[in-house]
Short mmCIF file of all heavy atoms in Angstrom, two decimals:
data_model
loop_
_atom_site.label_atom_id
_atom_site.label_comp_id
_atom_site.label_asym_id
_atom_site.label_seq_id
_atom_site.Cartn_x
_atom_site.Cartn_y
_atom_site.Cartn_z
N SER A 9 157.71 -64.67 94.15
CA SER A 9 158.77 -65.67 94.28
C SER A 9 159.46 -65.92 92.94
O SER A 9 160.68 -66.07 92.89
CB SER A 9 158.21 -66.98 94.84
OG SER A 9 157.18 -67.47 93.99
N LEU A 10 158.71 -65.93 91.84
CA LEU A 10 159.30 -66.13 90.53
C LEU A 10 160.12 -64.91 90.12
O LEU A 10 161.21 -65.04 89.56
CB LEU A 10 158.22 -66.44 89.49
CG LEU A 10 158.69 -66.78 88.08
CD1 LEU A 10 159.71 -67.91 88.09
CD2 LEU A 10 157.50 -67.15 87.22
N GLN A 11 159.61 -63.73 90.42
CA GLN A 11 160.36 -62.50 90.13
C GLN A 11 161.68 -62.49 90.88
O GLN A 11 162.72 -62.15 90.32
CB GLN A 11 159.54 -61.27 90.52
CG GLN A 11 158.44 -60.94 89.54
CD GLN A 11 157.64 -59.72 90.00
OE1 GLN A 11 157.48 -59.48 91.18
NE2 GLN A 11 157.13 -58.99 89.03
N ARG A 12 161.65 -62.88 92.15
CA ARG A 12 162.87 -62.91 92.95
C ARG A 12 163.86 -63.94 92.42
O ARG A 12 165.06 -63.70 92.39
CB ARG A 12 162.56 -63.18 94.42
CG ARG A 12 162.00 -61.96 95.15
CD ARG A 12 161.99 -62.13 96.66
NE ARG A 12 161.24 -63.30 97.11
CZ ARG A 12 159.92 -63.31 97.33
NH1 ARG A 12 159.21 -62.22 97.15
NH2 ARG A 12 159.32 -64.40 97.75
N LEU A 13 163.36 -65.09 91.99
CA LEU A 13 164.22 -66.14 91.45
C LEU A 13 164.92 -65.66 90.17
O LEU A 13 166.14 -65.82 90.02
CB LEU A 13 163.41 -67.41 91.15
CG LEU A 13 164.16 -68.54 90.46
CD1 LEU A 13 165.21 -69.11 91.40
CD2 LEU A 13 163.19 -69.62 90.01
N LEU A 14 164.17 -65.06 89.26
CA LEU A 14 164.77 -64.55 88.02
C LEU A 14 165.74 -63.41 88.31
O LEU A 14 166.82 -63.34 87.72
CB LEU A 14 163.69 -64.09 87.04
CG LEU A 14 162.87 -65.21 86.40
CD1 LEU A 14 161.69 -64.64 85.63
CD2 LEU A 14 163.75 -66.06 85.50
N ALA A 15 165.38 -62.51 89.23
CA ALA A 15 166.27 -61.41 89.60
C ALA A 15 167.56 -61.95 90.20
O ALA A 15 168.66 -61.44 89.91
CB ALA A 15 165.57 -60.47 90.58
N ALA A 16 167.48 -62.99 91.01
CA ALA A 16 168.67 -63.59 91.60
C ALA A 16 169.56 -64.21 90.53
O ALA A 16 170.80 -64.08 90.59
CB ALA A 16 168.27 -64.64 92.64
N ARG A 17 168.96 -64.87 89.56
CA ARG A 17 169.75 -65.45 88.45
C ARG A 17 170.45 -64.35 87.66
O ARG A 17 171.60 -64.50 87.28
CB ARG A 17 168.85 -66.27 87.52
CG ARG A 17 168.51 -67.64 88.03
CD ARG A 17 167.86 -68.51 86.97
NE ARG A 17 168.76 -68.76 85.86
CZ ARG A 17 168.36 -69.02 84.61
NH1 ARG A 17 167.08 -69.06 84.32
NH2 ARG A 17 169.24 -69.24 83.66
N ILE A 18 169.75 -63.26 87.41
CA ILE A 18 170.34 -62.14 86.66
C ILE A 18 171.45 -61.50 87.49
O ILE A 18 172.50 -61.13 86.95
CB ILE A 18 169.25 -61.13 86.27
CG1 ILE A 18 168.34 -61.76 85.20
CG2 ILE A 18 169.85 -59.83 85.77
CD1 ILE A 18 167.07 -60.97 84.90
N ASP A 19 171.26 -61.39 88.79
CA ASP A 19 172.28 -60.78 89.66
C ASP A 19 173.57 -61.59 89.71
O ASP A 19 174.64 -61.05 90.00
CB ASP A 19 171.74 -60.60 91.08
CG ASP A 19 170.78 -59.44 91.19
OD1 ASP A 19 170.76 -58.58 90.27
OD2 ASP A 19 170.01 -59.39 92.17
N ARG A 20 173.49 -62.88 89.41
CA ARG A 20 174.70 -63.72 89.42
C ARG A 20 175.56 -63.53 88.17
O ARG A 20 176.70 -64.00 88.12
CB ARG A 20 174.32 -65.20 89.57
CG ARG A 20 173.91 -65.57 90.98
CD ARG A 20 173.86 -67.07 91.18
NE ARG A 20 172.80 -67.70 90.42
CZ ARG A 20 171.58 -67.99 90.90
NH1 ARG A 20 171.29 -67.70 92.15
NH2 ARG A 20 170.69 -68.56 90.15
N LEU A 21 175.03 -62.83 87.18
CA LEU A 21 175.81 -62.55 85.97
C LEU A 21 176.90 -61.53 86.29
O LEU A 21 176.78 -60.77 87.25
CB LEU A 21 174.90 -61.99 84.88
CG LEU A 21 173.78 -62.88 84.36
CD1 LEU A 21 172.84 -62.09 83.45
CD2 LEU A 21 174.36 -64.09 83.62
N THR A 22 177.93 -61.50 85.44
CA THR A 22 178.91 -60.43 85.59
C THR A 22 178.23 -59.11 85.24
O THR A 22 177.17 -59.08 84.61
CB THR A 22 180.12 -60.64 84.64
OG1 THR A 22 179.68 -60.46 83.29
CG2 THR A 22 180.75 -62.01 84.83
N THR A 23 178.85 -58.01 85.62
CA THR A 23 178.28 -56.69 85.36
C THR A 23 178.05 -56.48 83.87
O THR A 23 176.98 -55.99 83.47
CB THR A 23 179.22 -55.59 85.90
OG1 THR A 23 179.43 -55.83 87.29
CG2 THR A 23 178.64 -54.21 85.70
N GLN A 24 179.02 -56.85 83.04
CA GLN A 24 178.89 -56.66 81.59
C GLN A 24 177.83 -57.59 80.99
O GLN A 24 177.08 -57.18 80.11
CB GLN A 24 180.23 -56.85 80.88
CG GLN A 24 181.14 -55.66 81.02
CD GLN A 24 180.52 -54.38 80.48
OE1 GLN A 24 180.13 -53.50 81.24
NE2 GLN A 24 180.43 -54.25 79.17
N GLU A 25 177.77 -58.83 81.44
CA GLU A 25 176.74 -59.75 80.94
C GLU A 25 175.35 -59.23 81.31
O GLU A 25 174.42 -59.27 80.49
CB GLU A 25 176.94 -61.15 81.53
CG GLU A 25 178.16 -61.87 80.99
CD GLU A 25 178.52 -63.11 81.79
OE1 GLU A 25 177.88 -63.40 82.83
OE2 GLU A 25 179.47 -63.79 81.37
N ARG A 26 175.20 -58.72 82.53
CA ARG A 26 173.91 -58.17 82.96
C ARG A 26 173.53 -56.97 82.10
O ARG A 26 172.39 -56.84 81.68
CB ARG A 26 173.98 -57.78 84.44
CG ARG A 26 172.64 -57.35 85.01
CD ARG A 26 172.67 -57.04 86.51
NE ARG A 26 173.54 -57.89 87.27
CZ ARG A 26 174.67 -57.50 87.86
NH1 ARG A 26 175.07 -56.26 87.78
NH2 ARG A 26 175.40 -58.35 88.55
N LEU A 27 174.50 -56.10 81.81
CA LEU A 27 174.23 -54.93 80.97
C LEU A 27 173.80 -55.35 79.57
O LEU A 27 172.85 -54.80 79.02
CB LEU A 27 175.46 -54.02 80.91
CG LEU A 27 175.30 -52.75 80.08
CD1 LEU A 27 174.17 -51.87 80.63
CD2 LEU A 27 176.61 -51.98 80.02
N VAL A 28 174.47 -56.33 78.99
CA VAL A 28 174.09 -56.83 77.67
C VAL A 28 172.66 -57.37 77.71
O VAL A 28 171.85 -57.09 76.82
CB VAL A 28 175.08 -57.90 77.16
CG1 VAL A 28 174.55 -58.61 75.92
CG2 VAL A 28 176.44 -57.26 76.87
N LEU A 29 172.33 -58.14 78.74
CA LEU A 29 170.99 -58.70 78.88
C LEU A 29 169.96 -57.58 79.03
O LEU A 29 168.87 -57.63 78.43
CB LEU A 29 170.92 -59.66 80.07
CG LEU A 29 169.62 -60.43 80.23
CD1 LEU A 29 169.47 -61.46 79.10
CD2 LEU A 29 169.56 -61.13 81.58
N GLN A 30 170.26 -56.57 79.84
CA GLN A 30 169.34 -55.46 80.05
C GLN A 30 169.12 -54.68 78.76
O GLN A 30 167.98 -54.34 78.41
CB GLN A 30 169.85 -54.54 81.15
CG GLN A 30 169.77 -55.16 82.52
CD GLN A 30 170.48 -54.33 83.58
OE1 GLN A 30 171.51 -53.70 83.32
NE2 GLN A 30 169.93 -54.33 84.80
N ILE A 31 170.18 -54.38 78.03
CA ILE A 31 170.03 -53.65 76.77
C ILE A 31 169.24 -54.48 75.77
O ILE A 31 168.37 -53.96 75.07
CB ILE A 31 171.41 -53.23 76.23
CG1 ILE A 31 172.03 -52.17 77.14
CG2 ILE A 31 171.30 -52.72 74.80
CD1 ILE A 31 173.45 -51.82 76.82
N ALA A 32 169.51 -55.77 75.73
CA ALA A 32 168.74 -56.65 74.85
C ALA A 32 167.26 -56.62 75.22
O ALA A 32 166.39 -56.62 74.33
CB ALA A 32 169.29 -58.08 74.93
N SER A 33 166.96 -56.54 76.51
CA SER A 33 165.55 -56.50 76.94
C SER A 33 164.87 -55.23 76.48
O SER A 33 163.68 -55.21 76.20
CB SER A 33 165.44 -56.66 78.46
OG SER A 33 165.82 -55.48 79.13
#
Side-chain angles (χ1 to χ4, degrees):
S9 58
L10 185 53
Q11 284 179 328
R12 283 193 303 274
L13 175 67
L14 289 171
R17 281 191 64 207
I18 290 169
D19 285 343
R20 284 194 293 264
L21 297 171
T22 68
T23 304
Q24 282 302 107
E25 289 168 356
R26 187 177 323 112
L27 181 61
V28 169
L29 187 69
Q30 289 171 325
I31 291 172
S33 75

